[in-house]
């Protein structure tokens, strides 16, 4: 059986946005708030530093029965027995990553247009993050926001879960999910929040309320 995407809120780390707090502390607060999927994305760390941080987050995610996804690094993912890997445009091809990880690990892919989504699906991705939906400083490298209309289009053509990413905040979660997204992916909304646990609970409540009404 292929791995199951059993979460609706996908937390992506950025230790530069914690306000000086240790990243594991912020992640644990988010886990206490109900987050059940965390992507470790700290591209500036060397291999040893990334491994040690991944190992710490692996212990936390196991404690809270949550999934740990490692950005790009299959070696680190396998070393800590993570639940999968998240790939970008310059990552290893999906089919090679699948051959390395096996059939039971999750593979997520960052997508920014329809072709990206179709290709990711055809090559064996389990889910994609799509965006940036709204303006966010961290995603300016990917160009202008793709917007809600394009989100709705890719949801219609995709057979795998689509997580809306980029500028996602509590006030726009309902309109994002109303376009058919399976969930939302966030960075600063939780990582930079004064109270990550409370923010995670709020986002999950909004997601549950919207999904119940669909």
């Amino acid at each position: 059986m292929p791995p199951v995407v059993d979460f609706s809120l996908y937390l992506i780390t950025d230790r530069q946005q914690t306000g000086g707090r240790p990243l594991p502390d912020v992640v644990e607060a988010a886990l206490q708030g109900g987050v059940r999927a965390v992507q470790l994305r700290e591209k500036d760390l060397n291999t040893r530093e990334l491994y040690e941080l991944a190992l710490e987050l692996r212990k936390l995610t196991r404690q809270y029965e949550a999934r740990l996804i490692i950005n790009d690094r299959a070696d680190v993912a396998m070393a800590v027995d993570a639940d999968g890997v998240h790939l970008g445009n310059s990552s290893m091809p999906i089919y090679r990553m699948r051959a390395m990880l096996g059939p039971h690990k999750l593979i997520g892919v960052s997508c920014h247009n329809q072709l990206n989504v179709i290709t990711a699906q055809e090559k064996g991705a389990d889910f994609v993050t799509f965006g940036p939906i709204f303006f966010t400083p961290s995603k300016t490298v990917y160009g202008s926001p793709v917007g809600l209309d394009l989100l709705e289009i890719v949801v219609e053509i995709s057979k795998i879960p689509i997580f809306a990413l980029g500028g996602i905040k509590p006030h726009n979660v309902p309109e994002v999910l109303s376009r058919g997204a399976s969930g939302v992916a966030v960075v600063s909304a939780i990582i930079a929040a004064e109270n990550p646990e409370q923010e995670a609970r709020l986002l999950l409540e909004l997601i549950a309320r919207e999904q119940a009404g669909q």
Side-chain angles (χ1 to χ4, degrees), residues 5 11-12 39 48-49 51 55 71 101-102 112 117 122 132 173 177 197:
V5 180
L11 175 61
I12 303 170
Q39 179 196 146
R48 179 179 290 276
E49 292 169 335
Y51 165 74
L55 193 60
N71 183 275
L101 297 180
H112 312 290
V117 173
E122 291 179 346
V173 165
L177 295 183
E197 178 181 353

Side-chain angles (χ1 to χ4, degrees), residues 63-192:
Q63 179 182 340
Y64 290 91
E65 299 183 346
R67 294 188 180 275
L68 176 65
I69 310 295
I70 307 297
N71 183 275
D72 202 44
R73 296 289 299 270
D75 57 341
V76 174
M78 291 188 290
V80 303
D81 192 25
D83 297 288
V85 171
H86 195 98
L87 304 177
N89 292 334
S90 60
S91 298
M92 183 184 296
I94 298 170
Y95 76 94
R96 288 303 308 157
M97 185 62 73
R98 177 62 71 197
M100 292 177 64
L101 297 180
H104 304 300
K105 297 293 187 179
L106 287 167
I107 295 180
V109 179
S110 297
C111 296
H112 312 290
N113 56 49
Q114 299 100 309
L115 181 59
N116 289 163
V117 173
I118 293 170
T119 301
Q121 178 175 289
E122 291 179 346
K123 298 298 183 181
D126 297 298
F127 68 96
V128 304
T129 55
F130 186 75
I133 305 301
F134 306 107
F135 173 79
T136 179
S138 65
K139 299 298 180 184
T140 54
V141 66
Y142 300 114
S144 301
V146 298
L148 291 166
D149 291 341
L150 189 55
L151 171 63
E152 187 169 3
I153 289 171
V154 300
V155 166
E156 290 177 355
I157 65 175
S158 177
K159 296 179 182 178
I160 58 177
I162 303 287
F163 287 80
L165 170 69
I168 306 297
K169 304 293 182 184
H171 73 271
N172 57 38
V173 165
E175 59 182 333
V176 166
L177 295 183
S178 71
R179 301 301 183 105
S182 300
V184 297
V186 301
V187 184
S188 63
I190 290 178
I191 296 294

